[in-house]
Amino acid sequence: MNVLLAGGAGYIGSHTAVELLNAGHQVVIVDDYSNSSPEAVHRVEKITGKSINSYEADVKDKEKMRHIFSENHIDCVIHFAGLKAVGESVRLPLKYYRNNIDTTLTLLDCMEEAGVNQFVFSSSATVYGEENKPPYVETMHRGSCSNPYGWTKVMMEQILEDAAKANPKLSVILLRYFNPIGAHESGLIGEDPQG
């Protein structure tokens, strides 16, 4: 399987790239490196001994994404691209809404044009809101968020659910993490935030 990792040079994306490559899949990484580094891609290649097609591009840029889809036979998209700082999202809500939602819409448009029907979305446990009490379970409804970052995740989940209902071929998986931490056992990749 050839998997496009949007935001694949980031913390979770780089670890996912290692696992996919070690499982025998091919990986295409698209990242603008606003909160990551090209060095992460080189380190993934070092860990796995495999090469990666990588592109420095903004996932919101539909023309660049169309080009990437046309150059690679993509079977599945895993969407990690997005701004993720809660405090910054409160100070710069429009930046978060524009960036995070536009990346999802661009990916969905390009997937539809290319006939790609498998989508995995990196969401967040923040979507459970304060109405739901731990322990959280997958069947709980989304709650109310306390910040724009969380609301972008809620909105993107809704967009993806609506897209899947409208297109029975589209398979969507939502991943709701809490606080992922740690580093790869090699010590070569781990959390490395910019700013």
Side-chain angles (χ1 to χ4, degrees), residues 4-194:
L4 186 145
L5 299 178
Y11 174 62
I12 299 173
S14 60
H15 285 77
T16 301
V18 168
E19 295 304 315
L20 287 168
L21 289 165
N22 285 340
H25 301 288
Q26 290 81 44
V27 170
V28 176
I29 289 179
V30 180
D31 205 302
D32 67 1
Y33 303 119
S34 61
N35 194 32
S36 62
S37 166
E39 183 60 29
V41 177
H42 301 304
R43 291 178 179 185
V44 169
E45 290 175 326
K46 183 176 181 180
I47 291 167
T48 63
K50 298 177 182 174
S51 63
I52 298 172
N53 287 344
S54 63
Y55 297 84
E56 182 173 356
D58 185 337
V59 177
K60 296 187 308 293
D61 186 331
K62 191 179 285 188
E63 289 311 309
K64 283 187 182 176
M65 293 306 299
R66 280 181 174 141
H67 176 75
I68 292 166
F69 272 83
S70 73
E71 282 193 351
N72 302 274
H73 175 77
I74 304 297
D75 299 302
C76 175
V77 171
I78 304 179
H79 181 14
F80 300 111
L83 300 172
K84 61 180 184 173
V86 170
E88 183 182 61
S89 79
V90 173
R91 289 190 319 277
L92 303 168
L94 298 181
K95 178 180 178 180
Y96 272 69
Y97 288 118
R98 171 76 64 199
N99 184 80
N100 291 1
I101 294 170
D102 277 0
T103 56
T104 302
L105 294 173
T106 298
L107 286 169
L108 287 170
D109 285 344
C110 291
M111 287 174 63
E112 184 174 31
E113 291 170 7
V116 179
N117 291 307
Q118 295 184 59
F119 194 101
V120 179
F121 176 58
S122 179
S123 190
S124 170
T126 192
V127 302
Y128 289 113
E130 295 178 13
E131 297 89 340
N132 293 304
K133 300 298 177 205
Y136 300 122
V137 295
E138 294 174 355
T139 55
M140 288 179 169
H141 292 286
R142 289 182 294 264
S144 298
C145 294
S146 61
N147 57 75
Y149 162 77
W151 280 114
T152 67
K153 295 295 188 177
V154 166
M155 291 174 187
M156 289 183 287
E157 282 195 11
Q158 187 63 54
I159 289 166
L160 290 166
E161 287 177 12
D162 291 343
K165 285 177 189 169
N167 178 3
K169 293 180 182 177
L170 180 62
S171 171
V172 173
I173 295 173
L174 307 172
L175 304 176
R176 294 176 176 169
Y177 319 107
F178 289 81
N179 294 312
I181 60 169
H184 187 266
E185 60 191 16
S186 67
L188 293 175
I189 56 173
E191 186 71 30
D192 186 23
Q194 307 298 310

